Amino acid sequence: MLVQSLSLPDAVARFGSDLPLPGRGATLQRWRVLADVAAQDLSLIKLFEGHADAVAILAELGGPPPSPGSLWGTWCAEPPDARLLFVARSGGFDVHLTGTKAWCSGAAQVTHAVVSGWNPNGEPCVAAVALKDPSVQITDRGWHAVGMAETRSVDVRFEQTPATQLGGSNAYVHRPGFWHGGAGIAACWWGGAAGIGRMTRRFVGQRDDPHAKAHLGAIDAALTAGAAVLREAAGWIDANPNADAQPCAMRVRAVVEDAANRVLHHAGRATGAGPLCRDARFARAMADLPVYLRQSHAERDLAALGGLLSDTGDALWAL
């Protein structure tokens, strides 16, 4: 599948309507689409995955289906200095939203968003909100990175903005699909790394350079390992759609993050400075992927994964 030079509306129109929901028997097909888009444009996949995740959340929590032509974001990061308060109200909408959401990818492009926040009892909640409401202020603050610059992940202010709450408190994180979506991010990381690997292979070509060939071999090994774990995880999710997928998701994220970092390391050493300075697409991908990978929490995620393994027994690592 070739996914070059697509905008977010193009990507949603082309792939969104037929994209399977996770855990419904075609999770690997879903992840292949995400990986293919990511291989071409990491900023685009960040936005497209946000739309796809919002569609899945709406379906899982009984929200209204997205209207034709709508573009959705999923804004559920919870930094301590940016919080939304959910206050119940009467009328056609469930809640008012007041406060700031940070890291709002595609804020200037999307029409709606699934946003996380907190009710007055301090319980986490999520809601669907239309961004055309005049009480929504899309700022130009919060993003200075070169990598993933095209996502324009800025702060968004809400001031008593009407929204529809999705499920009860804690529904967002307690649904089985929460970790299905978390694992799907790894498919995006893998796709970005695969795109870098393919470009590296083209740059290196048929050069009679044993060092370049060694770097390509390392890239192949890393991507093959990541793909194997993604396929296994997708199969497990489809076979166990209502089970706790946290260990599965955290494991696949750890493996793919490691594979992507290996690809970044070997791609730069294989190509040298030329493509990094003279090929815009390669340079952008090499800048984008490290920023996207920081959606992982590094050692904190590894520690959490290790904590989940204490009662699993020796059969965990049987071949």
Side-chain angles (χ1 to χ4, degrees):
M1 183 193 306
L2 202 59
V3 194
Q4 290 177 310
S5 302
L6 286 182
S7 65
L8 178 60
D10 292 336
V12 170
R14 182 170 174 181
F15 306 115
S17 60
D18 296 326
L19 192 68
L21 294 173
R24 305 289 180 91
T27 298
L28 183 58
Q29 180 183 339
R30 175 185 178 90
W31 290 359
R32 283 172 173 159
V33 173
L34 297 180
D36 285 341
V37 176
Q40 299 299 324
D41 189 328
L42 280 159
S43 288
L44 175 60
I45 191 55
K46 183 69 171 70
L47 304 185
F48 179 69
E49 189 278 332
H51 173 90
D53 194 31
V55 172
I57 293 166
L58 291 167
E60 291 165 4
L61 295 183
S67 57
S70 61
L71 303 174
W72 286 73
T74 301
W75 301 339
C76 294
E78 288 293 336
D81 59 345
R83 289 166 70 96
L84 272 188
L85 178 64
F86 285 41
V87 177
R89 65 184 289 266
S90 59
F93 291 92
D94 296 321
V95 291
H96 274 138
L97 310 178
T98 297
T100 299
K101 284 305 293 182
W103 314 111
C104 297
S105 297
Q109 297 186 54
V110 298
T111 60
H112 298 74
V114 171
V115 297
S116 63
W118 305 82
N119 66 23
N121 295 323
E123 299 167 325
C125 306
V126 289
V129 59
L131 301 174
K132 66 180 180 180
D133 192 274
S135 63
V136 178
Q137 179 191 3
I138 298 170
T139 76
D140 59 359
R141 297 188 299 273
W143 195 256
H144 301 285
V146 174
M148 302 295 282
E150 294 304 311
T151 65
R152 293 175 169 80
S153 301
V154 297
D155 296 348
V156 175
R157 284 278 310 163
F158 297 88
E159 187 62 44
Q160 293 192 310
T161 303
T164 301
Q165 185 168 328
L166 303 173
S169 60
N170 294 293
Y172 171 67
V173 294
H174 287 171
R175 64 194 170 90
F178 177 80
W179 287 108
H180 301 167
I185 295 294
C188 301
W189 296 342
W190 185 91
I196 289 171
R198 291 164 191 158
M199 287 185 281
T200 300
R201 185 177 60 179
R202 288 197 296 272
F203 293 137
V204 171
Q206 300 301 313
R207 283 185 353 215
D208 188 18
D209 181 342
H211 298 290
K213 290 178 181 178
H215 290 304
L216 282 178
I219 288 171
D220 175 71
L223 290 172
T224 299
V229 173
L230 282 163
R231 287 191 292 267
E232 180 180 1
W236 186 91
I237 287 170
D238 284 337
N240 303 276
N242 296 313
D244 179 8
Q246 183 179 2
C248 173
M250 298 194 79
R251 187 178 300 120
V252 74
R253 285 167 66 99
V255 170
V256 173
E257 181 184 3
D258 182 69
N261 278 319
R262 290 176 181 271
V263 170
L264 286 164
H265 172 79
H266 288 286
R269 296 173 78 87
T271 62
L276 285 169
C277 299
R278 294 179 177 272
D279 187 284
R281 183 171 163 234
F282 183 71
R284 180 178 164 193
M286 290 287 283
D288 284 349
L289 186 55
V291 176
Y292 200 3
L293 289 173
R294 294 284 44 85
Q295 200 163 338
S296 151
H297 300 104
E299 283 75 14
R300 280 184 292 168
D301 283 354
L302 291 174
L305 175 59
L308 296 171
L309 306 182
S310 58
D311 298 322
T312 53
D314 292 343
L316 173 68
W317 294 316
L319 185 62

